[in-house]
Amino acid sequence: MTATDAPTTPTPTGPVPAGPDGTSLATRLRSLNVGSVLVEGRALVALVLIIAVFAVLSDNYLDPGNLVTITKQVAFNAIIALGMLMVILNGGIDLSVGSTVGLTGAVAGNLFRGIDMPLTQAIMFPKVWVIVVLSVAVGALVGYLNGLLISRLRLAPFIVTLGMLYVGRGLTEVLLDGQNITNELRGQEGLGNTGFFEVFASRPLGLPISAWVMVALAVLASILLVRSPFGRWLYASGSNERAAELSGVPVTQVKTRIYVIAGVCAGIVGVLQIANISSATADLGQFYELNAIAAVVIGGAALSGGRGTVKGTIIGAFVIGFLANGLVIVGVSPFWQQVITGAVIILAVAVDQIQQIAQRRGAAKRAVAEARTAAAGAA
């Protein structure tokens, strides 16, 4: 709505009426606005409080080196969370992204080892960019299979992605055969497949490459959700799939594409992670799916679909990262770290539900008041 077609609201010239408790209407509106801002921006408020508390408890918490470490770890979680946001906006869930990270790392590690050519004794060593593209393509393939089973066969996302979690983890074990891949990742000068660590473990302008990838993907995701028809289709199908379908939204294609996006994000993290730890391991990516879901929920997205933002998801990822790092720095037991992180997630979901209940009650009260006003006018 532009400024020219916005409806004008008469400005009251008389005294503002007081409420039943004696407070003026203006005072109650101001308190309501402050409360709404705090609820809507709860992820940012939580992040500020976490930083303030741990900065007081530890002098090293805001050390530049520690902040870079936090940013690097947050970037991995945030990239996966961006893909998870797309899925949750549609009302789905993807439990396979963690195992997809591990599978992608195993595929990249084996490609660095070389590919045995059939019917010959030759071994082909792909270029680094080919390895990266093929590894991310594996993640896209996993996402495509998830989307195909969910959208075409109408299978439950929870069941499909849970099964794919086991499939991905099993294939990772098969590819690695119980051994970590380390030295092969550096490549060989004579084969022309060196430079992997120089690119993906580098720190342009002092920040890890994963942070720059996170920023780039966040910008692309924002454009996709806000500026493209796909974003409008996604929000519409997540809010009411049947109504969106009747309105001409290609619900099936949208559902397939979001799982492909989630798989691509997991594939990118798999490549970045093996560069980060200098090896491909069987347990790579464990629990990443839970951290991604937590980041999306803490960022204000609704698990029922139709509501969520890129900005909130990124802030949610930073909340988890700063909280986990702070607990480690102050010496909290790893067992209690899990308890505290879980409690924060539950609290975020509870606040979201309370907000929705309050909104429904407010809408009901307004509807009753408008009905009474209309009835009085008619009388």
Side-chain angles (χ1 to χ4, degrees), residues 252-343:
T252 302
Q253 290 87 337
V254 169
K255 190 169 294 187
T256 303
R257 291 172 188 173
I258 58 174
Y259 285 95
V260 173
I261 293 173
V264 168
C265 291
I268 292 173
V269 172
V271 172
L272 293 173
Q273 267 289 33
I274 63 173
N276 177 50
I277 64 177
S278 302
S279 63
T281 61
D283 61 349
L284 185 66
Q286 280 189 349
F287 304 116
Y288 272 33
E289 62 277 353
L290 301 182
N291 289 333
I293 295 171
V296 175
V297 171
I298 291 174
L303 290 174
S304 57
R307 179 163 56 85
T309 63
V310 171
K311 177 179 65 177
T313 298
I314 297 296
I315 295 175
F318 271 94
V319 168
I320 296 175
F322 273 91
L323 176 63
N325 182 269
L327 294 175
V328 171
I329 284 184
V330 299
V332 176
S333 167
F335 307 111
W336 281 107
Q337 291 178 28
Q338 297 181 26
V339 172
I340 295 173
T341 303

Side-chain angles (χ1 to χ4, degrees), residues 28 59 69 84 143-144 148 154 244 273 332 339 348:
R28 288 186 286 127
D59 296 333
T69 301
M84 187 68 72
Y144 178 73
L148 200 64
R154 305 288 184 178
Q273 267 289 33
V332 176
V339 172

Side-chain angles (χ1 to χ4, degrees), residues 132-358:
V132 172
V133 170
L134 291 178
S135 301
V136 175
V138 169
L141 177 61
V142 173
Y144 178 73
L145 293 176
N146 284 333
L148 200 64
L149 293 171
I150 293 169
S151 62
R152 299 292 183 179
L153 299 183
R154 305 288 184 178
L155 300 180
F158 180 88
I159 300 300
V160 171
T161 58
L162 179 62
M164 196 61 72
L165 181 153
Y166 285 101
V167 170
R169 193 60 64 188
L171 289 176
T172 302
E173 297 280 359
V174 170
L175 289 174
L176 296 179
D177 195 21
Q179 299 178 352
N180 297 337
I181 300 176
T182 53
N183 296 330
E184 290 88 343
L185 296 179
R186 297 193 176 276
Q188 302 179 41
E189 289 286 349
L191 300 174
N193 61 349
T194 58
F196 177 68
F197 290 117
E198 285 75 3
V199 175
F200 293 96
S202 61
R203 291 189 175 186
L205 301 179
L207 289 178
I209 192 68
S210 58
W212 295 108
V213 174
M214 174 190 68
V215 172
L217 291 179
V219 172
L220 289 176
S222 297
I223 295 174
L224 185 65
L225 291 179
V226 178
R227 301 291 184 180
S228 71
F230 178 81
R232 293 189 290 272
W233 293 343
L234 180 56
Y235 279 106
S237 59
S239 299
N240 191 320
E241 182 173 314
R242 182 56 180 164
E245 191 173 14
L246 293 175
S247 301
V249 174
V251 173
T252 302
Q253 290 87 337
V254 169
K255 190 169 294 187
T256 303
R257 291 172 188 173
I258 58 174
Y259 285 95
V260 173
I261 293 173
V264 168
C265 291
I268 292 173
V269 172
V271 172
L272 293 173
Q273 267 289 33
I274 63 173
N276 177 50
I277 64 177
S278 302
S279 63
T281 61
D283 61 349
L284 185 66
Q286 280 189 349
F287 304 116
Y288 272 33
E289 62 277 353
L290 301 182
N291 289 333
I293 295 171
V296 175
V297 171
I298 291 174
L303 290 174
S304 57
R307 179 163 56 85
T309 63
V310 171
K311 177 179 65 177
T313 298
I314 297 296
I315 295 175
F318 271 94
V319 168
I320 296 175
F322 273 91
L323 176 63
N325 182 269
L327 294 175
V328 171
I329 284 184
V330 299
V332 176
S333 167
F335 307 111
W336 281 107
Q337 291 178 28
Q338 297 181 26
V339 172
I340 295 173
T341 303
V344 170
I345 296 171
I346 294 174
L347 179 62
V349 176
V351 171
D352 179 71
Q353 291 299 315
I354 292 172
Q355 176 188 0
Q356 293 188 41
I357 292 173

Side-chain angles (χ1 to χ4, degrees), residues 121-137:
Q121 295 182 347
I123 301 178
M124 183 179 67
F125 292 89
K127 300 287 186 180
V128 171
W129 70 268
V130 175
I131 294 176
V132 172
V133 170
L134 291 178
S135 301
V136 175

